[in-house]
Amino acid sequence: MSRYALSIDLERCIGCQACVVACKTGNERPLGGNYIQIRDVVRGTFPNLTGTFVHQRCFHCFDAACVNVCPTGALYKQDGMTAVDADKCSACGYCVDACPFDVPHVVDNRVSKCTACLDLVKDGLPPWCVQTCPSQAIKFGEREKLLADAHARVAAIKPKRPNAQVYGEEPFGGLGMILILPDAPAALGLPENPQPSLALGAWQNVVQPVSIGALGAAIGVTALSFIVARREHNREEALLKAEEEAPHEHPDHA
């Protein structure tokens, strides 16, 4: 099975928003339902300032908290990416609370987040954001190859960006969105060591056991009801059979 990924070279991103527009129109997103947001991050002190455009979008965690807590299967993994079946979404919002990167949100009662354009990929085309990036900062393909390219790219920019690094290689089984950072994650507003959210812990330690317990209790009550009903049915059947087999007293013999 293929394990795909996206990679974004923040050193090459020019913040043109072409990916945002292409994603929005290509995926027919409603107002407020953008899958991609780009924020400006300025570092340093005047007059020695450096700007970077940081993308906020689904990181496609391999071990995805949103998938783990989704009770309907609306979020699921496909080829390493986190896919969405919006028709199954109940708008419960568990995925919103569970995501360590604060990515998914609910729009028009459906989960809203990047789907990696897997419908296009199935037809042999790259995602909309990749197709339209004029600086070729965004790539899509086999994750191992993208990782190797990312490390080579970081090595190339290290002389002028000493803190440059690859982001997303290890967390949560490896992210499906690899970032080439020109600086340390904290300097760009990214978590240095992202952790599972408290909501995921609550789900795994409280909600799931309670749900499983409730389900077990329901099954137990159903089974007990079946046994009692079956026993009563057998008893009545035995009484009826006994009456049919018992000798009947004829009125002439009285």
Side-chain angles (χ1 to χ4, degrees):
M1 183 183 71
S2 297
R3 186 175 176 185
Y4 292 124
L6 287 153
S7 72
I8 304 178
D9 186 342
L10 298 188
E11 180 71 358
R12 283 185 172 151
C13 177
I14 57 176
C16 66
Q17 305 268 342
C19 58
V20 177
V21 175
C23 175
K24 181 176 174 59
T25 56
N27 289 294
E28 300 179 346
R29 300 304 305 148
L31 184 65
N34 288 12
Y35 290 157
I36 305 172
Q37 295 182 351
I38 297 179
R39 52 188 172 84
D40 301 352
V41 176
V42 178
R43 314 184 306 283
T45 54
F46 186 82
N48 300 314
L49 300 175
T50 302
T52 301
F53 302 102
V54 179
H55 292 228
Q56 175 70 6
R57 55 192 291 179
C58 180
F59 282 77
H60 296 280
C61 311
F62 189 69
D63 183 14
C66 59
V67 173
N68 292 336
V69 301
C70 180
T72 66
L75 293 165
Y76 61 99
K77 297 302 294 185
Q78 180 178 326
D79 298 332
M81 310 306 281
T82 303
V84 176
D85 184 346
D87 291 337
K88 290 184 177 179
C89 181
S90 63
C92 65
Y94 288 136
C95 58
V96 177
D97 296 332
C99 178
F101 297 103
D102 193 27
V103 170
H105 50 287
V106 175
V107 177
D108 294 340
N109 292 321
R110 292 289 185 271
V111 61
S112 177
K113 65 163 229 57
C114 166
T115 62
C117 297
L118 291 174
D119 51 342
L120 292 181
V121 174
K122 185 179 178 182
D123 292 335
L125 297 172
W128 291 113
C129 58
V130 179
Q131 293 187 39
T132 55
C133 181
S135 61
Q136 299 183 330
I138 310 175
K139 297 180 180 177
F140 179 83
E142 296 285 344
R143 186 173 186 272
E144 289 304 314
K145 182 177 186 309
L146 290 179
L147 266 176
D149 291 347
H151 281 290
R153 172 66 175 153
V154 164
I157 64 176
K158 272 280 188 182
K160 66 174 181 178
R161 305 291 188 198
N163 294 325
Q165 57 189 271
V166 175
Y167 186 83
E169 187 164 6
E170 300 294 339
F172 307 113
L175 304 183
M177 188 176 76
I178 301 159
L179 296 178
I180 298 166
L181 304 183
D183 207 337
L188 302 172
L190 294 167
E192 293 271 3
N193 183 25
Q195 297 294 321
S197 71
L198 295 176
L200 178 60
W203 172 265
Q204 293 176 327
N205 298 323
V206 178
V207 178
Q208 280 188 329
V210 169
S211 300
I212 292 172
L215 178 61
I219 293 174
V221 169
T222 302
L224 182 60
S225 299
F226 174 79
I227 292 171
V228 171
R230 183 67 180 172
R231 181 178 298 171
E232 185 63 20
H233 172 77
N234 291 340
R235 189 181 68 81
E236 292 178 356
E237 194 172 56
L239 287 174
L240 181 61
K241 185 176 181 181
E243 288 180 2
E244 291 175 348
E245 294 177 352
H248 295 282
E249 197 174 81
H250 197 282
D252 296 340
H253 297 167

